[in-house]
Amino acid sequence: MPGDPRVMRSHLLLLFTAAIWGTAFVFQEIAISAGLQTFSFNALRFAVGGLLLTPLLLFLRLRVQRGRIGQPVKDHPRRNHRPLVVGGVLMGLVLASGSALQQGGLADPQTTAGKGGFITGLYVVLVPVFGLALGKRTDLWAWLGVGLAVVGLFLLSIRIEKDRLAISQGDLLVLMGTAFWAVHILLIDHFSKRCDALALSVVQFFVCAAASGALAMFFGERVTPEALIGGWYAIAYCGVLAVAVAFTLQVFAQKHAHPTAASVIMSLEVLFAAVAGALILHETMSLLAYIGCALMLAGMLLSQLSPTQPAVEITPESA
């Protein structure tokens, strides 16, 4: 119902969630400035998020078990943990890959928090395109959205160097990470129907943290006391708010929100990333770059407002 206060409350919670995820790009930049390296930072923030969500998961499981007390044994079907394990591992590895490319890209001085947010948001238009491989229909609206987003990306990231067109290494890494975010969405769509969504997220966060930690050791990254002192609040923001709190808000808020409305609201995280980058880090962009951002946002919204294309479920792992 349009006048349902639960719907309005859900939309406000989703908007707050989008603000958290968008602002997280700024704190990722702060972590880099503090000396926290790519894999180490990702291992820390996803471990924090997983550890904070675990008590909530156990609490909800306990409530379910207590609700079953007194029921016949036949009402207790044996749980099939295979989708949870397989899905959690696959999603965690894809999440670790996308996060590494995104964080590595943000380390490039030419890739600001605002640019990183907009480029990352392209996964919204890539999902229906990638869905073609799974036999999912992609209509004209989605293709128009892709076209606008590509033109916008060109204006945002491409520059002329020595009479040649070039893109910064950071922008390219973030763009590569966008493909992993799109694959991650498709994995969520497949596995979330087969097991508990919260448990799936906890597993993927721990897998992502473990994979990132292993890569940090492999590449010889060191977490110094100075880096922890200088970047602890970036770890806290990205782990506590961007992962644990924002994810929990999204799960409960989407119960009463229309999928399309929820996706459009969550797409606004790219605007929050740009605004936060300008206000907190004093980032600026050229006029052409701002026009590119506007075209990219229009492309994202077009792909979500398609009358026949199912709305993409936005997830917190994109931040």
Side-chain angles (χ1 to χ4, degrees):
M1 294 177 59
D4 191 338
R6 295 178 300 177
V7 174
M8 179 62 70
R9 183 168 58 248
S10 295
H11 288 175
L12 290 175
L13 287 175
L14 289 172
L15 184 63
F16 180 60
T17 302
I20 292 176
W21 289 341
T23 310
F25 283 93
V26 168
F27 287 89
Q28 289 176 246
E29 292 275 15
I30 291 174
I32 294 167
S33 300
L36 288 168
Q37 295 175 283
T38 297
F39 298 115
S40 302
F41 175 67
N42 286 339
L44 289 168
R45 62 168 170 153
F46 282 106
V48 168
L51 288 171
L52 286 177
L53 281 180
T54 298
L56 175 62
L57 175 63
L58 295 176
F59 171 73
L60 294 177
R61 286 289 175 87
L62 183 61
R63 287 189 60 182
V64 171
Q65 290 176 0
R66 286 179 175 176
R68 289 176 176 172
I69 293 176
Q71 295 180 7
V73 176
K74 65 180 182 180
D75 291 340
H76 295 264
R78 185 181 182 89
R79 286 184 177 272
N80 180 13
H81 294 290
R82 180 179 173 81
L84 176 62
V85 174
V86 174
V89 170
L90 286 177
M91 289 166 55
L93 293 176
V94 172
L95 179 59
S97 302
S99 299
L101 288 168
Q102 182 188 80
Q103 190 68 12
L106 290 173
D108 186 339
Q110 296 187 49
T111 303
T112 62
K115 286 176 68 177
F118 271 96
I119 296 173
T120 298
L122 285 177
Y123 76 91
V124 172
V125 297
L126 284 181
V127 169
V129 176
F130 283 14
L132 287 173
L134 302 177
K136 296 187 177 183
R137 180 182 176 187
T138 300
D139 61 18
L140 179 61
W141 287 88
W143 288 115
L144 287 175
V146 170
L148 281 176
V150 169
V151 174
L153 176 65
F154 179 86
L155 295 177
L156 176 65
S157 297
I158 301 297
R159 64 187 189 280
I160 299 177
E161 283 187 356
K162 299 178 180 179
D163 298 326
R164 293 187 304 173
L165 296 178
I167 182 172
S168 72
Q169 180 180 348
D171 289 1
L172 184 59
L173 287 176
V174 176
L175 183 61
M176 291 168 61
T178 302
F180 284 94
W181 299 130
V183 172
H184 189 260
I185 290 292
L186 295 174
L187 288 174
I188 289 175
D189 181 63
H190 178 79
F191 286 103
S192 63
K193 298 181 178 70
R194 293 162 174 79
C195 51
D196 178 76
L198 184 58
L200 189 63
S201 287
V202 171
V203 173
Q204 71 160 343
F205 291 155
F206 281 128
V207 170
C208 176
S212 299
L215 287 170
M217 289 188 290
F218 179 80
F219 286 103
E221 291 187 1
R222 295 178 61 249
V223 180
T224 64
E226 294 78 14
L228 282 177
I229 293 173
W232 70 267
Y233 57 98
I235 298 172
Y237 188 95
C238 292
V240 176
L241 289 179
V243 176
V245 173
F247 171 77
T248 306
L249 287 178
Q250 183 211 17
V251 169
F252 289 101
Q254 284 198 195
K255 287 184 177 180
H256 303 293
H258 188 277
T260 299
S263 298
V264 170
I265 293 172
M266 298 314 303
S267 297
L268 296 177
E269 72 170 285
V270 299
L271 287 181
F272 284 109
V275 172
L279 293 179
I280 300 176
L281 301 179
H282 308 293
E283 296 176 348
T284 59
M285 289 187 285
S286 66
L287 177 60
L288 278 180
Y290 280 117
I291 294 174
C293 289
L295 290 175
M296 291 171 71
L297 181 60
M300 295 173 203
L301 295 178
L302 266 182
S303 68
Q304 292 297 287
L305 294 174
S306 165
T308 58
Q309 183 70 30
V312 172
E313 180 183 358
I314 310 299
T315 62
E317 298 75 30
S318 61

